[in-house]
Amino acid sequence: MAELTYRDAVAAGIAQEMDRDPRVVFLGEDIAAAGGVFKATVGLLERFGPKRVRDTPISEQAIIGAAMGAAMTGLRPIAEIMFSDFLAVCWDMIANEIAKARYMSAGQMTLPLVIRTANGSGARFGAQHSQSVENWAMAVPGLKVVAPSTPADVKGLLAAAIRDPDPVVFFEHKGLYATKGEVPEGEHVDRLGTAKVLRQGSDVTVLALAAMVPRALQAAERLQSEDGISATVVDVRSLVPLDTKTILAETVKTGRLYTVEENPRLCGWGAEIASIVAEECFYDLDGPVVRITTPHVPLPAADALEDATVPSVDRIVETIRRTAG
Amino acid sequence: MDVVMPQLGETVKEGTVTVWHKKVGERVEANEPLFEVNTDKVETEVPAPVTGVLTDILVAEGATVDVGTRLAVIQEDGKPRGAAPAPEAVRAPAAPPPSDSSRAARRPAAPARGGEDGPPLSPVVRKLLAEHGLDPSAITGTGAGGRITRDDVLAYVEQRKSGAPAQGAAGERVPFSKIRKRTAEQMALSWRTIPHVLQAVEVDFAAVDRARTAQAEAWKAKEGWALTYLPFVAFAACRALPEFPAVNASLDGDALVLHRRVNLGVAVDLGGEGLIVPVVKAAADKSLPDLARAIHAVSEKARTGRLAPDDVTEATYTISNSGSFGTLLTAPIINPPQVAILSTDAVTRKPVADGERIVVHPVGVLAQSFDHRAFDGAYSAAFLRKLKQILETRDWASDLR
């Protein structure tokens, strides 16, 4: 095991796959010479050269269009969209072309590509650069959606996404780039569509994604020591495919389900899970499913306001404390 | 307009809704029967207070609620809707809530449907209650607002299984179930008001045992259950009772009502939940095999909770059977207005004097508690002597044929 930062794990994952497969290419704004605006791709240009690691003009549509064409013609491109908010400008190509190509060509065409993007709040970038838009991608049939919370998962899931035969939107979290964690040495490939139980408890089950995972874990520790409430914490990791087997099993064990979501409340990923749980294990529930989310508002840029908007450890603790009885 | 549980008698605190005569959405006329209520004291029909449409039923049939509890809502003719909140009014906020925490804080003020008069029961709690056949009123809720949680039900089930009180220095308070409550009241009333006298005889079951053993296998094969001593005792009692009509009687104020028929009550234990006494009607008219079958049938009905109201009324004499547990002698409590009750205890093999010889016979004690207001010790003793004589000397083999 080696200790890596979340941002170094991105570069490590890409390098592992570029080493292994010459078809893997990487393109995006400032990803090559500058090593990425979040310094997540440092060293790749030097190692793999300007043919496989390309800086592009400031045009998200050009990046996605180029990646789509490359994938159609036999490469396995990784496209970076610097801020996930900008996926909106590419949405026709992503939602209508990339997501539909395999289906509309009856499998004659596949698009093995990865769209990496920096998602989420914490950097005070305001309403157009801090959003959590994982639920946008989740709503489009034909896309796989991954959002890791640890350096090890970044490397393992990024490798799995690159090897996947279909388009994967890979949400990295801006607030996690500096965090550190153990990453297995040598080749490391994880499996898409698998959630991870990080903490086993007996009273409540808490589902979280990306930056909400460490907050849910901290909240669980506080609930245990301050209130004697024992919480299971599950890192959902992958929204499509969704690991319903693990989610339902962990929900049934405690009978109480909470989701901690950074995406805005309406149609957030937890809403889909709440609906599945209501349908599949209603008679094992010992209380309502409670969603802890960002409210349905544009994200403020001011520190205090952003902190008040996105679910905090305090808010998770207070909500569970108030409703778990 | 809200329909509430009426006060039926000064001391009545609660009532059970037994039947709704109207469905939600149906029209009701003022003074037309709306539902039926059963309390400790009365069973009565309650008329609709106003004319209109029954828009909501809040308390299901079979639920017991306090006097004054809202039972239903009638939308009166000519009055605007909304005086009483309809269920949909509780839901659907006009605009999306600003944050989930403020939303969660707004606990819905929905009525406690199905949770009787307590907070609502969660889906898993309902499932567990049904699986274990439990009455929620027997379980102490530790959740928010006294809500019964999943863990409360599981702890209750666990505690009942082990028979030991749950952990906690002060011990746990386990409220009585309905049947336990009724058993307690009836037993206390009997003990307070009836001067009980206990008499017992020792009976040699050798004659019974010979016939029973000879037929045991054939009986088991044919009927599917074993032939015990109980039907023999019951049959003997049915022969003895006509000679002692004051034993097969009810006390009614200053009079004793002597019954022509023997309706035999057979006490059945419901595994700690309480006692129930199903009744074999006209027991003295039955042959021994028929009486055995009838006792078996009502006991099974009692254990599986399928007794009809008619199965538990009009007993004139009761037998309580603790013998299978190996008891030597039980002093039973009389079930008023009856005036006597017989306990059959264990029949065990014992040395018995047969002339100058000692032989081993199956022997058991029959004990009768009687109401000393109704008759005296000599009368009861003579009845027991008769019972003993029948059991020891009858040609049982021909009764079983």
Side-chain angles (χ1 to χ4, degrees):
Chain A
M1 293 286 226
E3 188 170 72
L4 289 186
T5 59
Y6 188 97
R7 64 164 54 88
D8 290 341
V10 174
I14 295 173
Q16 172 184 296
E17 296 308 300
M18 291 187 82
D19 256 341
R20 172 181 171 272
D21 185 346
R23 295 172 300 169
V24 177
V25 297
F26 179 33
L27 65 162
E29 295 162 9
D30 279 336
I31 55 119
V37 73
F38 297 108
K39 297 294 172 197
T41 56
V42 174
L44 292 173
L45 171 67
E46 292 72 16
R47 189 159 160 197
F48 298 102
K51 210 174 162 197
R52 294 181 70 193
V53 181
R54 285 179 189 246
D55 278 324
T56 68
I58 304 182
S59 168
E60 281 75 22
Q61 287 151 300
I63 298 168
I64 294 297
M68 181 169 74
M72 278 177 175
T73 50
L75 296 181
R76 299 183 87 91
I78 305 163
E80 179 180 307
I81 299 297
M82 193 184 289
F83 288 85
S84 62
D85 315 66
F86 307 161
L87 287 171
V89 83
C90 318
W91 213 233
D92 178 57
M93 262 181 290
I94 295 173
N96 281 330
E97 308 299 340
I98 290 174
K100 309 297 194 289
R102 176 193 280 276
Y103 172 76
M104 293 182 69
S105 71
Q108 295 175 77
M109 224 157 32
T110 57
L111 292 183
L113 64 84
V114 176
I115 301 169
R116 280 185 47 242
T117 187
N119 195 42
S121 66
R124 323 309 194 185
F125 286 155
Q128 299 166 315
H129 294 74
S130 297
Q131 298 176 78
S132 285
V133 301
E134 60 271 21
N135 57 333
W136 296 0
M138 189 188 187
V140 178
L143 297 179
K144 293 180 180 170
V145 183
V146 179
S149 72
T150 66
D153 285 355
V154 165
K155 186 177 181 189
L157 291 172
L158 186 51
I162 293 167
R163 294 184 194 187
D164 195 87
D166 288 302
V168 179
V169 184
F170 194 86
F171 288 100
E172 292 156 21
H173 200 285
K174 291 189 256 325
L176 294 175
Y177 277 127
T179 58
K180 289 182 179 172
E182 298 289 330
V183 178
E185 306 267 14
E187 189 179 80
H188 174 47
V189 187
D190 209 323
R191 259 183 357 130
L192 301 184
T194 53
K196 232 185 208 171
V197 180
L198 300 181
R199 186 182 193 283
Q200 197 83 56
S202 55
D203 296 326
V204 299
T205 299
V206 183
L207 306 183
L209 190 75
M212 297 300 104
V213 173
R215 294 186 192 188
L217 285 169
Q218 275 183 56
E221 292 303 323
R222 273 185 50 192
L223 286 164
Q224 183 74 65
S225 62
E226 293 170 21
D227 305 87
I229 295 173
S230 160
T232 292
V233 177
V234 178
D235 183 351
V236 178
R237 303 204 312 163
S238 168
L239 296 178
V240 183
L242 187 64
D243 185 357
T244 50
K245 191 176 168 194
T246 299
I247 290 169
L248 289 170
E250 294 305 321
T251 302
V252 167
K253 281 187 205 162
T254 65
R256 301 302 303 263
L257 181 65
Y258 293 83
T259 64
V260 187
E261 305 165 52
E262 192 175 342
N263 57 203
R265 185 173 187 85
L266 295 192
C267 301
W269 56 262
E272 182 57 35
I273 291 176
S275 150
I276 292 169
V277 162
E279 218 169 303
E280 301 287 338
C281 64
F282 180 75
Y283 294 102
D284 291 301
L285 288 179
D286 197 18
V289 176
V290 177
R291 296 178 56 215
I292 303 165
T293 74
T294 298
H296 200 62
V297 296
L299 271 191
D303 296 11
L305 293 179
E306 191 189 80
D307 287 344
T309 308
V310 176
S312 61
V313 175
D314 282 345
R315 176 134 74 94
I316 300 167
V317 169
E318 282 158 18
T319 306
I320 295 176
R321 181 182 287 156
R322 194 178 62 240
T323 56
Chain B
M1 170 172 197
D2 289 348
V3 180
V4 300
M5 177 59 75
Q7 177 97 39
L8 299 161
E10 270 174 54
T11 59
V12 175
K13 295 197 189 75
E14 58 177 28
T16 304
V17 177
T18 50
V19 180
W20 282 103
H21 290 305
K22 295 286 174 185
K23 291 197 190 79
V24 170
E26 273 189 280
R27 279 199 64 76
V28 290
E29 300 294 325
N31 299 322
E32 176 183 24
L34 181 60
F35 61 96
E36 284 179 29
V37 172
N38 189 355
T39 71
D40 297 341
K41 306 215 162 144
V42 292
E43 194 159 340
T44 189
E45 223 165 51
V46 179
V50 291
T51 298
V53 175
L54 184 62
T55 55
D56 214 350
I57 289 180
L58 306 172
V59 172
E61 286 178 5
T64 303
V65 296
D66 289 345
V67 167
T69 303
R70 282 175 74 210
L71 302 178
V73 180
I74 297 176
Q75 171 63 28
E76 286 174 73
D77 288 354
K79 287 216 178 163
R81 199 179 166 84
E88 55 268 33
V90 178
R91 301 181 59 84
S99 99
D100 64 306
S101 59
S102 67
R103 179 188 181 140
R106 273 208 315 272
R107 288 283 174 81
R113 284 163 190 280
E116 302 212 348
D117 49 355
L121 301 174
S122 74
V124 73
V125 165
R126 284 164 194 261
K127 184 178 80 167
L128 288 169
L129 290 173
E131 267 174 19
H132 296 280
L134 300 175
D135 178 348
S137 65
I139 300 172
T140 311
T142 63
R147 184 181 84 86
I148 298 172
T149 66
R150 181 181 72 162
D151 289 348
D152 292 335
V153 184
L154 294 175
Y156 180 81
V157 168
E158 204 47 45
Q159 179 213 325
R160 216 173 47 150
K161 218 186 288 167
S162 65
Q167 73 280 19
E172 196 194 358
R173 183 182 158 79
V174 181
F176 280 172
S177 67
K178 250 178 261 165
I179 186 158
R180 183 77 259 161
K181 238 188 260 177
R182 200 158 299 164
T183 304
E185 283 163 10
Q186 185 78 347
M187 291 300 108
L189 173 76
S190 172
W191 194 249
R192 264 201 317 274
T193 56
I194 300 178
H196 283 69
V197 179
L198 177 73
Q199 281 183 332
V201 287
E202 194 175 50
V203 177
D204 186 335
F205 281 87
V208 169
D209 207 44
R210 268 193 302 278
R212 194 179 76 101
T213 313
Q215 290 295 321
E217 274 182 35
W219 181 276
K220 182 85 196 278
K222 183 163 170 244
E223 305 288 341
W225 41 274
L227 184 61
T228 64
Y229 290 104
L230 178 63
F232 294 88
V233 176
F235 188 79
C238 288
R239 306 278 84 69
L241 283 169
E243 289 184 37
F244 297 86
V247 181
N248 189 50
S250 304
L251 196 84
D252 181 16
D254 289 345
L256 203 56
V257 180
L258 309 179
H259 299 297
R260 286 188 193 88
R261 292 207 306 182
V262 178
N263 292 336
L264 197 63
V266 182
V268 173
D269 181 65
L270 300 178
E273 283 300 296
L275 263 184
I276 195 145
V277 186
V279 180
V280 176
K281 302 277 166 71
D285 302 345
K286 296 188 190 303
S287 69
L288 177 57
D290 282 348
L291 182 60
R293 288 185 197 107
I295 291 172
H296 179 77
V298 289
S299 305
E300 278 307 296
K301 271 164 107 176
R303 286 196 187 97
T304 52
R306 289 183 295 111
L307 286 171
D310 190 45
D311 290 331
V312 290
T313 53
E314 297 176 16
T316 59
Y317 187 70
T318 298
I319 298 183
S320 168
N321 176 26
S322 306
S324 57
F325 295 103
T327 50
L328 173 68
L329 182 146
T330 305
I333 294 183
I334 297 162
N335 195 12
Q338 294 166 54
V339 293
I341 180 169
L342 186 75
S343 166
T344 70
D345 292 273
V347 176
T348 52
R349 297 181 65 75
K350 282 186 180 168
V352 177
D354 176 18
E356 294 306 308
R357 288 187 313 135
I358 296 209
V359 293
V360 175
H361 279 185
V363 173
V365 171
L366 295 182
Q368 176 171 265
S369 292
F370 69 91
D371 184 341
H372 209 333
R373 296 173 302 178
F375 48 85
D376 304 316
Y379 190 83
S380 164
F383 168 75
L384 286 174
R385 182 180 58 193
K386 179 72 188 171
L387 193 58
K388 175 180 163 81
Q389 186 211 331
I390 295 169
L391 282 163
E392 290 180 347
T393 60
R394 195 172 169 91
D395 176 11
W396 291 107
S398 61
D399 282 316
L400 270 182
R401 236 172 256 137

